[in-house]
Amino acid sequence: MKQPAAVPDTPIFDFLLGYEKSGVSRLHMPGHKGNPPGLPGWERLPFSLDITEIRGADALFEAEGIIGRSEEIAAALYGVKTTCYSAGGSTLSILGMVRAVHARGGKILAVRNCHIAFVRACILLDWQPLWLLPAYDREHGLFRPVTAGEVAAAMDADPEIRAVYLTSPDYYGGMADIAAIAREVHKRGGILLVDNAHGAHLRFLPEDRHPMTLGADLCCDSAHKTLPVLTGGGYLHCNLDIPKETLKASMALFGSTSPSYLILASLDLCNPYLAGPAREEFAAMCRRTAQTEAALRERGVSLLPWKEDPAKITIDCRKSGRTHEEMAAFLRKRQIEPEFAGGGKIILMVSPRTPERDFERLEAAFEEFAPGAPLPYGPEQPCPRPAMTLRLAAFSPWERVPAEEAAGRIAAESVITCPPAVPVVAAGEIVGENEKKLLQNSGNFFVKVVK
């Protein structure tokens, strides 16, 4: 495997800079031609570096030039056989890796807290997942990360399972024991796919906890979530003997033929960062996050106890005696905008780019915080009974009905309140009384059902 240089090259960005300076007549897309209108605001956008797949610029799904070379550098940095860039975030990477494994046949076991992109991949490929619902923590109102024992038991119950799909870290910062799960999956001849959208940084922590290091066969990373990459930049990593051309073809089935070169350039420029100051900066971030979390606990703020991702600070609002609406309003009043407020939780995301001012502001916000009596969470959310496949339900004639009238009907859509989260109901499942209440409680007052 080719190792990156001490300071990796940036072939994509170098090409863009050269093209910007060349003075070539741009008789090709995009329409701005590198010269945006002289109107306020336009000068702040890098139009001169925004190009299409011209000669020398390579092609994302047939990467043999500058994109291919940049991907090889990224693969070496992550210690994997193959890395493919995505300009469509982890959504495109999920679609691509599910397609690549689907071609091998067999059934797929999926942990229920999946991103909607996985559900859509199964719909398009007509691959009905076997759902695995992990243990529910009623005290904190969340499903715990799936365990190796739960995966092993599910695979033993159905020997036709050939692939296992799970999300780690989850949206709240919980992390599964990937190494143990990988051992059980491989022991049974399976392939492990991990949605690591929120964990691109895990490779560069003081302890490498990236899924590919721990035994996953394929995984996606949303580089833009925790690394200095433009929104939409992501990776698909693979350690199987799947030709890169096959992975690219799988992604091309779902991806745009006009990928953003600005996004690709930001992935390219991230390589020297990962090879250089990233580890030191993430170590400092871990220390600073731990300091802030300790300060919040001293002030009576309840944090999710089994959160492990240091890039997340997850406040358990209801354990602190507040609703998530109240806590979000409390923070916004103090100029703090959370990543997410819902399900009784507040999620705050940090990175090495988070300024010291923001940590200090967060700590100061709770200096006079007075926690209230804990508010209870509702009962465990069951996994509804399927009546037809995802694909059949998704492509069936449908009608939209009030959630209160949906009991007994078959869902024609998958309702996920904030991906990646446990679906209230997936397409093809029967909406029960419990699902009806959960839909209403999560603000989904209407739902598509099969006619």
Side-chain angles (χ1 to χ4, degrees):
M1 188 181 300
K2 184 178 179 181
Q3 295 297 315
V7 179
D9 295 334
T10 53
I12 299 174
F13 186 64
D14 292 347
F15 178 88
L16 296 180
L17 285 181
Y19 194 66
E20 177 189 42
K21 298 174 181 178
S22 69
V24 168
S25 297
R26 301 190 181 199
L27 302 182
H28 57 73
M29 298 183 289
H32 56 70
K33 310 301 182 185
N35 298 296
L39 299 172
W42 291 72
E43 75 281 355
R44 295 177 63 93
L45 299 178
F47 283 92
S48 61
L49 301 181
D50 183 34
I51 64 169
T52 189
E53 294 172 318
I54 59 174
R55 185 179 61 139
D58 207 358
L60 180 57
F61 299 125
E62 297 175 1
E64 299 176 348
I66 59 174
I67 297 175
R69 291 202 301 276
S70 186
E71 289 175 329
E72 289 175 1
I73 293 169
L77 286 165
Y78 275 93
V80 298
K81 288 184 178 179
T82 307
T83 293
C84 298
Y85 284 167
S86 166
S90 279
T91 295
L92 178 56
S93 300
I94 289 169
L95 292 165
M97 72 176 177
V98 173
R99 168 66 184 91
V101 173
H102 173 263
R104 297 187 166 210
K107 296 180 180 180
I108 186 167
L109 176 71
V111 182
R112 184 80 171 182
N113 64 329
C114 63
H115 193 280
I116 192 66
F118 171 76
V119 177
R120 290 169 179 162
C122 290
I123 289 171
L124 293 171
L125 297 168
D126 196 14
W127 202 11
Q128 183 65 22
L130 302 174
W131 294 114
L132 173 57
L133 200 65
Y136 182 72
D137 184 337
R138 186 166 185 174
E139 182 182 359
H140 301 284
L142 281 178
F143 287 89
R144 298 294 297 267
V146 69
T147 68
E150 290 168 334
V151 171
M155 293 187 76
D156 288 341
D158 192 333
E160 293 184 42
I161 294 172
R162 294 290 179 269
V164 175
Y165 181 97
L166 61 87
T167 301
S168 180
D170 62 27
Y171 199 45
Y172 302 95
M175 295 175 63
D177 186 345
I178 298 296
I181 293 172
R183 286 193 295 270
E184 296 298 333
V185 172
H186 295 155
K187 188 187 302 182
R188 291 161 177 78
I191 295 171
L192 178 60
L193 298 80
V194 178
D195 175 350
N196 185 56
H198 283 259
H201 59 290
L202 296 179
R203 168 77 170 171
F204 306 95
L205 296 181
E207 177 188 357
D208 181 357
R209 301 191 64 187
H210 195 274
M212 299 303 286
T213 304
L214 299 177
D217 298 300
L218 296 110
C219 90
C220 67
D221 291 352
S222 285
H224 67 91
K225 284 182 168 62
T226 55
L227 302 180
V229 169
L230 293 178
T231 296
Y235 308 113
L236 170 56
H237 301 298
C238 179
N239 269 339
L240 296 175
D241 291 325
I242 299 177
K244 188 173 184 179
E245 293 77 11
T246 299
L247 294 172
K248 290 283 188 178
S250 295
M251 297 175 77
L253 281 174
F254 310 104
S256 171
T257 56
S258 300
S260 167
Y261 270 81
L262 299 179
I263 294 175
L264 297 177
S266 71
L267 287 166
D268 188 45
L269 287 171
C270 191
N271 287 335
Y273 171 74
L274 296 178
R279 292 185 187 278
E280 182 178 342
E281 290 191 5
F282 273 104
M285 182 206 75
C286 290
R287 293 191 295 270
R288 191 63 185 87
T289 301
Q291 180 182 333
T292 294
E293 289 180 325
L296 296 187
R297 288 191 176 97
E298 288 176 1
R299 291 158 170 75
V301 180
S302 180
L303 304 180
L304 191 65
W306 38 270
K307 188 275 302 181
E308 296 183 76
D309 179 4
K312 298 277 177 61
I313 298 175
T314 305
I315 300 174
D316 193 333
C317 305
R318 298 186 72 83
K319 290 282 287 183
S320 303
R322 301 288 191 279
T323 66
H324 61 257
E325 293 93 347
E326 291 170 338
M327 192 70 82
F330 173 88
L331 291 171
R332 288 172 178 141
K333 186 177 180 180
R334 292 158 177 78
Q335 292 186 283
I336 298 170
E337 182 61 34
E339 157 69 16
F340 172 69
K345 311 291 185 301
I346 291 285
I347 299 174
L348 305 166
M349 291 183 65
V350 299
S351 83
R353 302 292 93 201
T354 301
E356 174 63 20
R357 176 207 66 182
D358 292 353
F359 287 107
E360 293 175 353
R361 178 178 287 169
L362 180 60
E363 293 172 11
F366 288 97
E367 283 181 350
E368 299 179 3
F369 178 74
L375 305 175
Y377 282 99
E380 176 180 347
Q381 174 182 318
C383 197
R385 179 169 59 88
M388 60 175 63
T389 66
L390 283 167
R391 182 180 177 88
L392 181 58
F395 288 112
S396 292
W398 57 270
E399 60 180 336
R400 189 182 298 276
V401 301
E404 62 185 16
E405 300 175 9
R409 303 291 297 274
I410 300 172
E413 63 177 340
S414 299
V415 182
I416 298 178
T417 55
C418 182
V422 176
V424 175
V425 63
E429 294 178 340
I430 298 174
V431 180
E433 287 295 326
N434 186 61
E435 287 72 47
K436 182 185 77 173
K437 294 177 183 177
L438 287 167
L439 287 168
Q440 294 171 313
N441 292 341
S442 61
N444 293 283
F445 300 110
F446 292 86
V447 62
K448 293 179 182 177
V449 295
V450 176
K451 280 188 176 181

